[in-house]
Amino acid sequence: MSKCNNVNGAGAMGYVLKIAALPLACLVWSCNDGRREATGNPVVRQDTVSILGDPAFAGGLALKRAGGPPAGVLRPFGPGATTAIWELAEWGSGHMLSEADRTEQGDWRRYANAGKKIEFMAVDGGVSTVMDVYASAEYDHPRKPGQPWPHLLVEQSFPDKPLLSAIDGVMLSFEGKLGFARSRMAQGEYDAGLHAAQFQLFITVQDLDTASARHGDYLWFGIPFYDSRYEQSEVYAAQDVGKDDATGKFIYSMASADFMSGTFHSGDWIRIEKDILPNILNAFALAQDRGYLTGTTIDGFGLTGMNLGWEVPGTFDVRFEIKEFDLSVISDGKE
């Protein structure tokens, strides 16, 4: 595994989907370190190892604030003996969570204020999480062009950063459901070009080759679990633009049909098991075709971090629940 000075797995991102759009989340995080064998000669052995750090949130979540240092740590399961790997980002929000917002209800650890809520419950070595955003408390009028929007993102820089050239797959394991998504705008106030609620996962794919002219450059690879405007999202591929702190990097977001059956609009629990490595490789090739990450090769690129959660540029009150979330790399070998 390679390490470098990398982009944080999350960031303040926005992009235009047909308009200004965004990401993210609630979940059970689990660490999977399993092995499967196929019949035949020779034996093909497949090792699957999670790349998420601290899947049980033992170190808590460092609170991120735009334009300032971290603002403390949420510790849902006590003080912990490790430094927080996870971060909680609340860009564009007027209601910031803190450890003082913590309450307990049964096995749940809850942080809530007028604008958002996040809950954690330890389950079988992982953590179930619920993430709410109440944008009705953020906006006193429907969002206007150029106005920021609230985020609630859990994110991390991966402790180990696997090179794409050294692995045979990237398994996304996810089980979740949309709890609710309620528009608080009158029919005449809603503008699909300005107003939405999105729950997404983004992964940074970054050049880790210190000899490369593009060392440190990266693209965003997205998985759009939910968008209030569309039951099925199409492929989106363009530059990250749409607000002052946009990164200007290439964004590739998968089509819903490429990683799941059904739609989270149904309100049903949906389970996803998908090897997304082929899609990541396609995203890299498309980025280069469009003039990004040129003068380099895929060999030096690795997975460096992720963010997951809500971005809500419209007046919606929303909830997402997750029973399982994991990202693991697959390596095949012969004995």
Side-chain angles (χ1 to χ4, degrees):
M1 304 295 181
S2 298
K3 299 191 179 198
C4 76
N5 294 327
N6 68 295
V7 172
N8 193 310
M13 299 181 13
Y15 61 87
V16 176
L17 210 67
K18 287 185 180 175
I19 63 153
L22 352 143
L24 314 182
C26 123
L27 45 123
V28 170
W29 312 79
S30 66
C31 182
N32 179 27
D33 186 356
R35 174 169 290 186
R36 301 193 301 272
E37 290 190 357
T39 59
N41 188 19
V43 172
V44 176
R45 188 172 296 277
Q46 188 174 71
D47 295 327
T48 303
V49 180
S50 177
I51 58 174
L52 292 180
D54 189 15
F57 290 90
L61 301 92
L63 297 167
K64 295 182 72 173
R65 300 289 185 262
V73 179
L74 298 186
R75 299 191 181 278
F77 302 110
T82 61
T83 302
I85 292 175
W86 291 99
E87 295 176 310
L88 187 73
E90 301 171 87
W91 317 119
S93 175
H95 297 83
M96 303 295 186
L97 293 170
S98 71
E99 185 64 16
D101 295 317
R102 185 182 191 275
T103 59
E104 295 185 16
Q105 184 174 3
D107 294 330
W108 287 95
R109 308 296 184 260
R110 174 182 298 166
Y111 297 87
N113 60 27
K116 58 180 71 73
K117 179 175 69 175
I118 185 167
E119 297 179 306
F120 304 89
M121 181 174 67
V123 180
D124 298 330
V127 177
S128 294
T129 306
V130 178
M131 295 178 76
D132 295 6
V133 173
Y134 311 121
S136 58
E138 297 282 357
Y139 299 107
D140 55 13
H141 55 76
R143 178 176 168 269
K144 297 179 180 179
Q147 182 179 353
W149 55 82
H151 299 57
L152 184 62
L153 313 178
V154 290
E155 55 192 53
Q156 70 167 248
S157 175
F158 300 138
D160 292 308
K161 298 167 176 59
L163 290 174
L164 299 178
S165 60
I167 58 178
D168 297 288
V170 179
M171 185 62 65
L172 167 67
S173 301
F174 185 89
E175 185 173 4
K177 76 169 185 174
L178 180 73
F180 55 77
R182 300 166 183 151
S183 174
R184 301 305 189 188
M185 293 169 285
Q187 185 173 359
E189 296 176 326
Y190 173 70
D191 180 348
L194 287 171
H195 306 136
Q198 291 179 286
F199 182 84
Q200 301 180 117
L201 168 67
F202 276 92
I203 301 168
T204 47
V205 183
Q206 189 171 20
D207 190 347
L208 302 176
D209 182 0
T210 56
S212 169
R214 293 285 185 177
H215 176 237
D217 204 358
Y218 63 96
L219 65 82
W220 294 105
F221 181 83
I223 299 168
F225 294 117
Y226 172 78
D227 188 311
S228 60
R229 297 162 298 177
Y230 319 112
E231 290 199 5
Q232 295 289 332
S233 295
E234 300 300 324
V235 168
Y236 176 84
Q239 188 179 32
D240 176 20
V241 296
K243 57 182 181 178
D244 291 342
D245 56 2
T247 63
K249 302 302 182 181
F250 187 73
I251 293 177
Y252 181 95
S253 184
M254 293 175 67
S256 303
D258 289 341
F259 65 89
M260 64 180 290
S261 299
T263 171
F264 283 109
H265 282 252
S266 68
D268 296 330
W269 288 100
I270 295 177
R271 180 166 182 81
I272 298 165
E273 290 282 346
K274 173 68 177 179
D275 179 4
I276 58 175
L277 179 58
N279 306 88
I280 293 173
L281 298 179
N282 288 341
F284 178 84
L286 183 59
Q288 289 200 318
D289 285 345
R290 296 194 181 179
Y292 298 86
L293 307 175
T294 56
T296 187
T297 69
I298 193 68
D299 291 345
F301 277 74
L303 307 177
T304 57
M306 52 74 62
N307 69 45
L308 173 65
W310 284 109
E311 294 194 34
V312 189
T315 313
F316 292 86
D317 294 342
V318 292
R319 168 176 295 170
F320 209 95
E321 306 173 30
I322 301 175
K323 287 184 178 178
E324 181 179 357
F325 169 67
D326 197 12
L327 287 168
S328 53
V329 294
I330 302 168
S331 299
D332 287 339
K334 293 184 178 180
E335 294 183 351

